[in-house]
Each structure stands twice: as C-alpha cells, then as structure tokens.
Amino acid sequence: MTEREPFRVEIKVRHYELDTLGHLNHAVYHSYGEVARTEAFEQAGGAALREQNLAPVLLESHIVFRREIRAGETVHVGCEAKFGTGKTFQMINNIHKADGTLSAEITCTLGLMDLERRKLVEDPRGHCERAGLDMSVLTAE
C-alpha cells in the first residue's frame, strides 16, 4: 500500500495576523491548524457525526516553530489524523511555505465527544468509520 499525501488547505497570510515584529502571530498558527482540522472533517463527511450528536473536540495543542511567516505569503496547512486505542487521537498539522519550507509543526490531541452526555466516546476511529466518514481524507494510510 502506498502512502498518500495528507489533507491540506491553502491560506494567504493577512497583515492583521502579524505580531509587532512582522511575523505571523503565534496564536494564528493554531488558528490555521484549526482551519485545516475543521475542513478535513467537513470534507470527510463530518455532518454524519453531528447527526449522531458527536463532535471532535480539542484537548491539547503543542506547536514547534521552524521558520517565520510574513504577510502576503501563502502557506499550505496539512492535516493528518493518527488513531490508536482509547478515547483520544492525534491530528498533526504541518505548515509549509509555498516553496516547501516547513514553518511549523502542530500536534493536537482530540477526542470525539458525545454532545448529550458531554463525555468522550471510546474508539473514535470506529465511530467515524461507522458514521461513514471518508477516512482517506483524515489519514494518509
């Protein structure tokens, strides 16, 4: 089996997203990751999860900054889910400049929440699969 490219979105950096040094503000990197995660779930068929009263929720986020990003640049934000066992899973966002330079790596821990019970469910991958999500959008397996 060959490995596929992770899901990705393209974002143009806006001037108001900069810090006082003229770099992309640290919090905006997290926002870009959230854009990619949200878009990936939508493209995979995330509405089916909402119909079952389930939703992905962010539990933890960690970022490693590699190269600065400035206004007017276009970045590509990749998104790939890594499922294991238990109630949580990871989503990895790599932010690349248009020339391919890695600018940031974001690793997030998420869970799939039962919105009525306000509790995380076991086996989030299984729930996604049973809801009919296109797992090839979420994973590069």
Side-chain angles (χ1 to χ4, degrees):
M1 174 190 280
T2 60
E3 194 168 304
R4 290 189 297 272
E5 288 286 318
F7 176 86
R8 71 179 190 165
V9 296
E10 184 177 285
I11 300 174
K12 185 172 181 182
V13 178
R14 296 162 297 244
H15 290 275
Y16 63 82
E17 296 174 323
L18 305 181
D19 62 17
T20 57
L21 299 175
H23 308 135
L24 188 65
N25 181 280
H26 68 280
V28 179
Y29 285 86
H30 288 285
S31 293
Y32 285 4
E34 184 67 15
V35 167
R37 288 188 300 277
T38 301
E39 291 291 324
F41 268 103
E42 287 303 311
Q43 187 169 323
L49 286 175
R50 287 190 297 280
E51 290 171 8
Q52 295 181 16
N53 225 19
L54 298 171
V57 293
L58 183 65
L59 303 171
E60 180 180 311
S61 185
H62 175 77
I63 189 165
V64 177
F65 300 99
R66 300 286 183 197
R67 295 286 183 270
E68 64 188 14
I69 298 174
R70 297 188 176 270
E73 289 189 89
T74 298
V75 296
H76 301 275
V77 185
C79 185
E80 182 178 1
K82 302 279 187 182
F83 292 93
T85 59
K87 294 181 180 182
T88 63
F89 60 99
Q90 287 191 324
M91 291 196 90
I92 312 300
N93 299 111
N94 287 322
I95 301 176
H96 289 90
K97 294 182 174 207
D99 69 2
T101 302
L102 179 62
S103 293
E105 300 163 286
I106 306 171
T107 304
C108 296
T109 301
L110 292 94
L112 198 56
M113 182 178 279
D114 178 323
L115 298 174
E116 284 182 27
R117 294 180 29 239
R118 308 305 290 177
K119 300 279 185 192
L120 298 181
V121 299
E122 292 283 346
D123 186 23
R125 181 185 184 115
H127 280 278
C128 290
E129 289 171 342
R130 288 187 294 281
L133 269 66
D134 181 352
M135 297 306 286
S136 69
V137 174
L138 299 176
T139 64
E141 300 170 345

